[in-house]
């Protein structure tokens, strides 16, 4: 990783050692719980009047003043102050050509899903009432983990860089498998296969779901399902026989469902790897470790806790730019992008005529055929009915076609 991403590796940190050292420091420390404890610790047991003067003079209320300038806390993605547009900032005395062109450019791109802002991710807040707290402060560590999409080389030889995806906070007592269950990815639902000749066929359900975390030369495999394959086996065999310069390196293997975060020793800020669904890779780093305190979430059931998410994780259709994509098209000479991400409307209307495939391409669907793929079901149904008429070899003749099912749901909703 250090040679690929040019990131120096720092010394490893043991989460268990970090917690034990702090607990040992706390054993000889007394924390005051009330005014009597504070008065005793500062040596004013019998000086009540003097203690009250000291207490009033050091009150936090003394820091407030009605003349103070209001400072609003900045939270990425959550901003109560609306920024003024270029047009609102424009005055009659400063009608510059550069500002006029800027206004026209912004008006032309208004509403486009591809435009980014300075607030590229948002924090997720989970307000919880104190009566639901079931964790004691300083009893555990909280580890922040940030996930990224890895860099790739495009067909035009332009290299993309890792892009932030989402951030979690995990307790030291959490298992690695608990984090894996909360990682979002389009590959989590079903297995994908080529369906351009029959776009109505369903994707097969997952009977197994192998994957691993690669952390500090150790593969943590998900073996909760007995049918899960060990993805790391082929990598370990390759490194032992064919990897030049790494013949002496011996990778370890453990089960993620039996490993807690408190048992790890990691290098903070150094890229690690999560891989599943064959070759679907996610980079992640351990960005921060802190002690569980009264300022952090004290509800065990919420961990691993999603803290922030990239607002650009959802991709839009490459053709219309209005709806989220449902199909991935590859090896098509009629598309500008490869792969191309298309919604169901654009995919069916552009690649099929009277139910027949136009030209050669490969297509993969990310959701179930029977799900509502977008907000334009009526337009989609008109094209799906072509496949319903062609496919007359259904096992059950009484079974309604997918287009009829969507139409029936729409009619029910109208009523």
């Amino acid at each position: 990783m250090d040679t690929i991403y040019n990131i120096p590796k720092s010394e490893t940190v043991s989460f268990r050692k970090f917690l034990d050292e702090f607990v040992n420091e706390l054993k000889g420390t007394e924390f005051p719980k009330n005014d009597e404890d504070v008065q005793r610790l500062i040596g004013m047991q019998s000086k009540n009047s003097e203690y009250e003067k000291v207490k009033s003079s050091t009150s936090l209320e003394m820091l407030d003043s009605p003349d103070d300038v209001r400072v609003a806390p900045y939270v990425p993605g959550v901003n109560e102050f609306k920024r003024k547009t270029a047009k609102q900032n424009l005055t009659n005395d400063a009608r510059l050509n550069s500002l006029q062109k800027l206004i026209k450019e912004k008006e032309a791109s208004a509403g486009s899903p591809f435009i980014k802002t300075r607030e590229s991710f948002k924090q997720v807040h989970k307000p919880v009432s104190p009566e639901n707290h079931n964790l004691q402060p300083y009893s555990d560590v909280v580890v922040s983990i940030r996930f990224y999409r890895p860099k790739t080389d495009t067909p035009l030889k332009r290299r993309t860089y890792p892009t932030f995806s989402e951030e979690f906070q995990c307790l030291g007592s959490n298992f690695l498998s608990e984090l894996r269950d909360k990682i979002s990815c389009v590959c989590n639902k079903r297995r994908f296969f080529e369906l351009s000749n029959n776009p109505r066929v369903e994707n097969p359900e997952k009977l197994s779901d192998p994957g691993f975390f690669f952390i500090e030369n150790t593969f943590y495999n998900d073996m909760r399902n007995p049918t899960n394959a060990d993805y790391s086996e082929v990598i370990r065999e390759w490194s032992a026989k064919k990897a030049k310069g790494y013949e002496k390196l011996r990778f370890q293997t453990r089960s993620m469902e039996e490993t807690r975060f408190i048992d790890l020793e990691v290098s903070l800020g150094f890229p690690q790897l999560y891989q599943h669904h064959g070759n679907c890779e996610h980079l992640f780093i351990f960005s921060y470790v802190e002690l569980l305190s009264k300022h952090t979430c004290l509800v065990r059931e919420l961990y691993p806790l999603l803290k922030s998410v990239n607002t650009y994780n959802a991709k839009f259709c490459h053709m219309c730019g209005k709806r989220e994509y449902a199909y991935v098209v590859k090896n098509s000479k009629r598309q500008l992008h490869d792969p191309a991400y298309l919604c169901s409307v654009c995919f069916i209307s552009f690649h099929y005529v009277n139910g027949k495939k136009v030209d050669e391409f490969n297509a993969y669907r990310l959701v179930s055929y029977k799900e509502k793929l977008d907000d334009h079901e009526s337009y989609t149904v008109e094209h799906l009915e072509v496949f319903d008429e062609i496919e007359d070899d259904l096992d059950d003749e009484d079974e309604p076609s997918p287009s009829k099912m969507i139409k029936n749901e729409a009619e029910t909703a109208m009523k």
Side-chain angles (χ1 to χ4, degrees):
M1 288 291 186
D2 51 347
T3 57
I4 297 176
Y5 290 95
N6 195 25
I7 298 178
K9 188 174 182 180
S10 60
E11 295 183 2
T12 58
V13 176
S14 172
F15 295 146
R16 185 177 296 278
K17 183 179 179 181
F18 175 79
L19 177 62
D20 292 342
E21 289 180 351
F22 184 82
V23 171
N24 291 333
E25 292 181 5
L26 289 181
K27 288 183 179 179
T29 304
E30 180 183 358
F31 289 93
K33 299 180 179 179
N34 47 46
D35 282 354
E36 289 74 13
D37 292 342
V38 176
Q39 192 172 353
R40 175 174 53 81
L41 290 174
I42 63 177
M44 289 188 174
Q45 296 91 328
S46 58
K47 302 177 182 179
N48 295 332
S49 58
E50 294 183 10
Y51 173 73
E52 291 298 330
K53 291 181 180 179
V54 172
K55 181 180 177 181
S56 60
S57 62
T58 57
S59 173
L60 294 178
E61 296 179 356
M62 299 287 292
L63 300 177
D64 294 334
S65 172
D67 298 329
D68 289 342
V69 177
R70 181 190 173 209
V71 178
Y74 173 74
V75 179
V78 182
N79 197 341
E80 60 179 291
F81 295 105
K82 295 183 178 180
R83 295 192 181 101
K84 289 186 177 180
T85 63
K87 192 172 184 178
Q88 291 173 333
N89 285 324
L90 186 63
T91 62
N92 295 328
D93 300 330
R95 292 189 175 276
L96 304 177
N97 291 335
S98 58
L99 288 177
Q100 293 293 339
K101 291 183 179 180
L102 176 63
I103 292 174
K104 291 182 179 180
E105 181 182 351
K106 289 184 175 294
E107 288 178 349
S109 61
S112 172
F114 303 104
I115 299 301
K116 292 188 177 182
T117 67
R118 284 174 283 183
E119 301 172 0
S120 60
F121 69 93
K122 61 181 179 181
Q123 291 187 342
V124 180
H125 299 276
K126 293 184 179 294
V128 179
S129 55
E131 56 267 18
N132 294 327
H133 293 176
N134 52 11
L135 291 171
Q136 292 298 325
Y138 312 119
S139 62
D140 207 339
V141 295
V142 179
V143 183
S144 297
I145 303 173
R146 295 172 63 88
F147 282 85
Y148 296 82
R149 291 191 291 272
K151 66 179 183 182
T152 57
D153 291 326
T154 66
L156 298 178
K157 305 301 181 182
R158 290 179 300 181
R159 175 167 294 182
T160 63
Y161 294 92
T163 305
F164 171 74
S165 176
E166 54 189 351
E167 180 183 18
F168 292 93
Q169 283 187 336
C170 300
L171 295 174
S173 56
N174 282 137
F175 290 100
L176 299 184
S177 55
E178 296 181 72
L179 173 62
R180 193 208 171 184
D181 293 340
K182 289 197 174 183
I183 299 173
S184 28
C185 179
V186 295
C187 299
N188 288 341
K189 294 183 178 181
R190 294 174 175 83
R191 301 201 181 281
F192 309 135
F193 70 104
E194 211 284 321
L195 44 68
S196 59
N197 292 322
N198 187 9
R200 67 173 295 164
V201 67
E202 282 290 348
N203 288 332
E205 296 290 341
K206 280 188 175 183
L207 300 179
S208 63
D209 191 18
F212 66 78
F213 289 110
F214 181 61
I215 305 173
E216 301 296 335
N217 294 338
T218 301
F219 290 96
Y220 297 90
N221 296 294
D222 189 347
M223 305 306 294
R224 287 174 289 180
N225 188 335
T227 61
N228 282 355
D230 184 358
Y231 278 166
S232 67
E233 182 177 1
V234 63
I235 302 176
R236 289 184 282 113
E237 292 179 354
W238 168 81
S239 64
K241 298 179 181 179
K242 299 182 179 180
K244 294 182 180 181
Y246 296 92
E247 295 84 355
K248 297 181 180 180
L249 184 61
R250 294 293 178 265
F251 296 113
Q252 305 296 320
T253 59
R254 296 183 64 182
S255 299
M256 69 170 66
E257 64 271 17
E258 298 176 356
T259 305
R260 301 180 187 271
F261 284 94
I262 195 69
D263 300 324
L264 299 179
E265 294 185 8
V266 304
S267 175
L268 296 180
F270 189 74
Q272 314 290 347
L273 176 66
Y274 165 56
Q275 184 169 328
H276 69 128
H277 198 73
N279 61 350
C280 184
E281 297 181 353
H282 301 252
L283 287 179
F284 68 95
I285 63 171
F286 294 91
S287 60
Y288 191 73
V289 56
E290 60 181 329
L291 289 164
L292 187 68
S293 67
K294 62 180 181 180
H295 302 292
T296 54
C297 177
L298 296 176
V299 181
R300 180 178 296 276
E301 291 75 20
L302 295 181
Y303 288 94
L305 178 64
L306 178 64
K307 287 297 295 180
S308 60
V309 60
N310 194 325
T311 56
Y312 305 107
N313 281 342
K315 289 189 176 181
F316 290 84
C317 174
H318 280 173
M319 296 187 70
C320 66
K322 297 179 180 179
R323 296 174 289 273
E324 292 187 13
Y325 69 89
Y327 289 86
V328 179
V329 179
K330 300 185 68 175
N331 304 322
S332 174
K333 296 181 180 179
R334 305 175 70 229
Q335 293 288 162
L336 297 177
H337 305 86
D338 191 9
Y341 301 91
L342 306 179
C343 66
S344 58
V345 175
C346 295
F347 171 73
I348 293 175
S349 61
F350 185 73
H351 289 92
Y352 297 89
V353 176
N354 295 328
K356 294 183 179 180
K357 179 179 175 181
V358 178
D359 211 340
E360 291 297 324
F361 61 90
N362 298 326
Y364 307 87
R365 188 176 56 245
L366 303 182
V367 296
S368 172
Y369 179 79
K370 296 180 181 180
E371 292 181 14
K372 294 182 179 180
L373 303 181
D374 47 59
D375 296 333
H376 292 64
E377 290 105 346
S378 59
Y379 185 86
T380 307
V381 167
E382 295 176 1
H383 289 77
L384 293 182
E385 285 177 342
V386 176
F387 295 102
D388 297 335
E389 296 173 359
I390 296 175
E391 289 281 341
D392 56 356
D393 56 348
L394 295 175
D395 296 334
D396 186 359
E397 295 181 356
D398 296 331
E399 181 183 356
S401 62
S403 59
K404 293 181 180 178
M405 293 178 63
I406 298 177
K407 187 176 293 185
N408 291 338
E409 292 178 3
E411 293 176 353
T412 304
M414 291 292 291
K415 295 179 181 179

